[in-house]
Amino acid sequence: MRIGIFDSGLGGLTGYRALRELLPTHDLIYFGDNARVPYGTKSGEVICRFALQHVRFLLSQRVEAVLVACGTVSSNALELLERTFPLPFVGVVEPAARRAAEIASQKSGKILVLGTAATVGSGAYEKAIHAVDPAIEVRSVACPMFVPLAENGFTSPDDLAAVEIAKRYLQPYEDFAPDAMILGCTHFPLLSGVIAKVLPAPVQVSAGEEAAKTMAEKVR
Ligand code: DGL
């Protein structure tokens, strides 16, 4: 079976890598829109237009299922894609939200979501978390600068620029002490060491990895 995977850039490779491990013999086609990254600062309308283009391209490559390995597209355009194309789709929001909610429900019931501005603005992770457990307290923080840091390889926990930017975004949440942190943009696991250095959480949930697990279950 041939599965298409796409993202605004290289972040979705975190999902690709997980899917490749889970489905070693499947044919995987990855598309990263490096020409137009980032998506997280764009409007919902533009994100939807780009998403439709990507699926059309992947269909021209004869894919039979699509992993939307982008938090921004998953939270703004997944329903449109599902309505438009007769294909099985897996986005990153629902799988990551489910895993984090399962963890937080057993603990103090607190989740911190890190995403792009378009993802946080959509409220999609909150909605998916509360569909699992309405009692969970969710805070969400937009970290747009993490995307160019990841795209340019500024990902080491020893990188002073990356650590300073992470402090700006994350230090305000130190007292919140989440049980789980959702790295809700697929670029963010590339910065997991930086993020853990600034705001350690018991569990970091990688949106791309969780989505890959869901896709693997679906097509096996
Ligand atoms: N990997 C994309 C996401 O998951 C990055 C967003 C962007 O391009 O701004 O949201």
Side-chain angles (χ1 to χ4, degrees), residues 7-8 37-40 70-72 116 147 184-187:
D7 180 37
S8 61
V37 67
Y39 283 12
C70 176
T72 304
T116 65
V147 177
C185 164
T186 52
H187 281 70

Side-chain angles (χ1 to χ4, degrees), residues 4-211:
I5 305 165
F6 75 89
D7 180 37
S8 61
L10 56 73
L13 290 170
T14 57
Y16 170 89
R17 189 173 48 203
L19 194 60
R20 173 48 75 218
E21 272 171 31
L22 291 164
L23 300 175
T25 58
H26 281 60
D27 204 3
L28 305 183
I29 296 190
Y30 184 83
F31 178 81
D33 189 8
N34 292 90
R36 299 186 295 196
V37 67
Y39 283 12
T41 51
K42 294 182 171 65
S43 68
E45 195 189 328
V46 169
I47 294 162
C48 284
R49 179 150 42 88
F50 290 175
L52 291 168
Q53 290 169 357
H54 302 333
V55 175
R56 281 192 201 107
F57 168 73
L58 289 169
L59 274 172
S60 76
Q61 303 302 306
R62 301 183 313 283
V63 303
E64 295 151 276
V66 173
L67 176 63
V68 182
C70 176
T72 304
V73 174
S74 299
S75 54
N76 285 274
L78 185 61
E79 282 171 22
L80 171 68
L81 295 178
E82 287 174 333
R83 275 202 313 273
T84 309
F85 301 101
L87 273 179
F89 285 95
V90 173
V92 299
V93 173
E94 203 273 331
R98 192 174 355 109
R99 165 130 162 81
E102 281 162 7
I103 294 164
S105 295
Q106 307 297 317
K107 297 186 169 182
S108 63
K110 290 190 285 183
I111 295 174
L112 183 65
V113 179
L114 275 51
T116 65
T119 295
V120 169
S122 75
Y125 276 104
E126 281 92 332
K127 201 168 148 204
I129 291 165
H130 287 146
V132 179
D133 183 348
I136 291 177
E137 190 182 347
V138 185
R139 305 253 176 106
S140 301
V141 52
C143 308
M145 291 287 285
F146 284 173
V147 177
L149 286 174
E151 285 284 329
N152 289 285
F154 288 38
T155 54
S156 161
D158 298 325
D159 188 291
L160 295 181
V163 170
E164 272 313 306
I165 289 169
K167 280 183 185 166
R168 291 260 200 118
Y169 290 140
L170 302 178
Q171 274 178 344
Y173 297 90
E174 268 169 1
D175 293 341
F176 181 54
D179 307 309
M181 184 189 278
I182 297 181
L183 305 184
C185 164
T186 52
H187 281 70
F188 294 0
L190 300 169
L191 287 151
S192 63
V194 175
I195 293 166
K197 187 170 177 175
V198 174
L199 188 64
V203 182
Q204 285 184 345
V205 176
S206 158
E209 275 180 34
E210 295 308 317

